[in-house]
């Protein structure tokens, strides 16, 4: 009987405040979608840094069997690798570095070079880990002091190339940060609007049911029992908003990332379904908290009859 009352009051409240509920759903949907986009942009920036290196890094590629250059006479030898590592160790401008094997490079390559074209797929299938290049990813203490290490490494036997993309990457990372924080800032503004919307919805619902609430107080109903219909109303609105936001993120991943960008552009490792699932979990937790916390706070205030 008690649960029947709660569900009955929840349905009645949703019908009474249908316009407020729709407004709340839309606000939650838009704000959570922007939060999710910010999370995806953050994941994309992390993947771009792992693929290209960051603004303080240069990449030293070793010779492989296909390399042609003054320092290459075939595959880099263990002795040459040791010598290259020694040059990096001895340079004072190096803050840190790590080694990327052919197998690691091949795994990254497979994630990046995907295509729906059959002929391209056949070409990509012939590439193996042996065709990749070992590399050292070197982080510098000062981004402006790179000529010394670059000059020393570019003349070392076994080094095919020293890649310095810092000037290219700087504006790319800058705009990634701008878009990420722009999305999160707008989302934060809308989340505040959603909290106010929840408070207004609770206030109007409590005013509409003030007689019922007064009677329930007189017969000894607990605050939690009285507030359950309000909690259910906002939770349902939040779940609908979360579902719409999750659908928008999935649609963005399918139609933009997987259908357009991944097959057409191989310049970077793009975000994948795992990143989108992580973003959806994040906005789901945020959406539930957005519904429950303000409702619990506001019901303590507005249900005192």
């Amino acid at each position: 009987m008690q649960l029947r009352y709660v569900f009955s009051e929840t349905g009645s409240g949703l019908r009474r405040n249908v316009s407020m509920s729709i407004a709340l759903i839309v606000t939650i949907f838009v704000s959570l979608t922007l939060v999710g986009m910010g999370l995806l942009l953050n994941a994309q920036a992390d993947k771009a840094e792992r693929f290209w290196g960051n603004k303080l890094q240069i990449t030293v590629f070793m010779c492989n069997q296909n390399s042609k250059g003054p320092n290459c006479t075939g595959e880099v030898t263990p002795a040459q690798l040791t010598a290259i590592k020694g040059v990096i160790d001895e340079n004072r401008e190096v803050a840190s570095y790590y080694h990327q094997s052919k197998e690691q490079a091949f795994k990254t390559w497979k994630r990046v070079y995907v295509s729906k074209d059959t002929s391209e797929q056949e070409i990509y299938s012939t590439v193996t880990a042996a065709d990749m290049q070992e590399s050292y990813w070197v982080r510098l203490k000062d981004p402006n002091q790179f000529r010394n290490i670059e000059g020393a490494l570019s003349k070392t036997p076994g080094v095919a190339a020293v890649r310095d993309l810092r000037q290219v990457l700087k504006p790319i990372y800058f705009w990634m940060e701008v878009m990420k924080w722009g999305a999160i800032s707008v989302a934060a503004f809308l989340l505040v609007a959603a909290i106010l919307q929840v408070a207004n919805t609770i206030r109007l619902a409590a005013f509409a049911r003030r007689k019922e609430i007064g009677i329930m107080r007189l017969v000894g109903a607990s605050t939690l029992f009285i507030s359950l219909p309000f909690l259910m109303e906002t939770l349902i609105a939040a779940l609908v908003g979360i579902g719409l936001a999750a659908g928008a993120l999935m649609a963005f991943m399918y139609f933009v990332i997987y259908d357009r960008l991944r097959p057409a552009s191989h310049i970077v490792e793009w975000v994948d379904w795992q990143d989108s699932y992580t973003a959806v979990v994040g906005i789901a937790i945020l959406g539930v908290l957005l519904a429950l916390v303000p409702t619990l706070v506001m019901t303590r205030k507005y249900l005192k009859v």
Side-chain angles (χ1 to χ4, degrees):
M1 181 64 72
Q2 291 180 343
L3 285 177
R4 184 182 299 174
Y5 167 79
V6 170
F7 289 126
S8 172
E9 283 298 299
T10 300
S12 175
L14 289 172
R15 288 191 297 273
R16 251 188 227 132
N17 301 311
V18 62
S19 60
M20 294 293 293
S21 297
I22 292 173
L24 181 58
I25 289 169
V26 171
T27 306
I28 291 175
F29 158 57
V30 175
S31 58
L32 292 183
T33 300
L34 287 171
V35 170
M37 292 299 294
L39 293 174
L40 286 179
L41 281 168
N42 187 60
Q44 183 61 65
D46 290 340
K47 286 180 180 288
E49 283 203 0
R50 287 198 297 271
F51 185 74
W52 284 329
N54 62 38
K55 292 176 286 185
L56 291 173
Q57 279 182 329
I58 61 173
T59 311
V60 187
F61 290 102
M62 308 297 109
C63 299
N64 66 5
Q65 57 190 356
N66 302 315
S67 298
K68 299 185 183 300
N71 300 326
C72 297
T73 56
E75 195 77 31
V76 62
T77 65
Q80 289 173 335
L81 273 174
T82 301
I84 294 165
K85 183 175 181 296
V87 172
I88 298 173
D89 284 331
E90 293 170 4
N91 193 284
R92 296 180 179 178
E93 296 302 326
V94 174
S96 62
Y97 66 91
Y98 64 90
H99 175 260
Q100 186 180 68
S101 67
K102 287 189 173 190
E103 289 73 20
Q104 291 170 325
F106 184 59
K107 287 179 181 178
T108 301
W109 184 89
K110 284 197 298 183
R111 291 196 298 266
V112 173
Y113 283 83
V114 294
S115 176
K116 294 182 178 179
D117 186 81
T118 305
S119 59
E120 286 186 355
Q121 288 177 357
E122 291 177 356
I123 294 171
Y124 295 159
S125 66
T126 64
V127 179
T128 65
D131 298 311
M132 299 292 106
Q133 291 174 289
E134 292 183 64
S135 57
Y136 281 106
W137 295 66
V138 182
R139 181 186 290 270
L140 305 174
K141 294 178 182 177
D142 184 345
N144 299 313
Q145 301 297 321
F146 68 96
R147 294 296 182 190
N148 182 278
I149 181 71
E150 186 180 40
L153 288 168
S154 61
K155 298 174 184 177
T156 305
V159 173
V162 179
R163 183 178 70 178
D164 177 21
L165 294 178
R166 291 174 302 109
Q167 292 305 313
V168 176
L169 296 177
K170 188 175 181 179
I172 294 174
Y173 289 148
F174 170 78
W175 285 110
M176 276 188 179
E177 286 291 310
V178 168
M179 288 189 291
K180 179 182 75 175
W181 289 111
I184 290 175
S185 298
V186 175
F189 177 79
L190 289 172
L191 287 173
V192 172
I195 292 171
L196 296 175
Q197 192 84 9
V198 170
N200 201 31
T201 301
I202 298 299
R203 183 178 65 82
L204 291 176
F207 179 78
R209 300 179 202 168
R210 61 191 182 279
K211 291 182 179 178
E212 293 94 327
I213 293 171
I215 294 170
M216 292 177 72
R217 284 291 191 196
L218 289 174
V219 298
S222 66
T223 302
L224 179 61
F225 181 75
I226 297 173
S227 64
L228 272 177
F230 300 95
L231 285 169
M232 292 290 289
E233 284 178 41
T234 53
L235 185 59
I236 289 171
L239 290 176
V240 173
I242 291 167
L244 291 173
L249 290 180
M250 294 297 106
F252 174 78
M253 288 295 300
Y254 181 81
F255 291 108
V256 178
I257 300 296
Y258 274 85
D259 193 52
R260 298 287 182 181
L261 295 179
R262 284 174 70 95
S265 177
H266 302 145
I267 60 172
V268 70
E269 180 184 353
W270 295 101
V271 288
D272 54 25
W273 289 116
Q274 184 60 47
D275 298 305
S276 65
Y277 298 150
T278 302
V280 167
V281 171
I283 65 173
I285 294 171
L286 180 60
V288 171
L289 291 176
L290 183 65
L292 296 183
V293 175
T295 302
L296 288 171
V297 172
M298 294 305 168
T299 49
R300 290 178 64 86
K301 175 181 180 182
Y302 292 123
L303 299 186
K304 292 178 180 178
V305 179

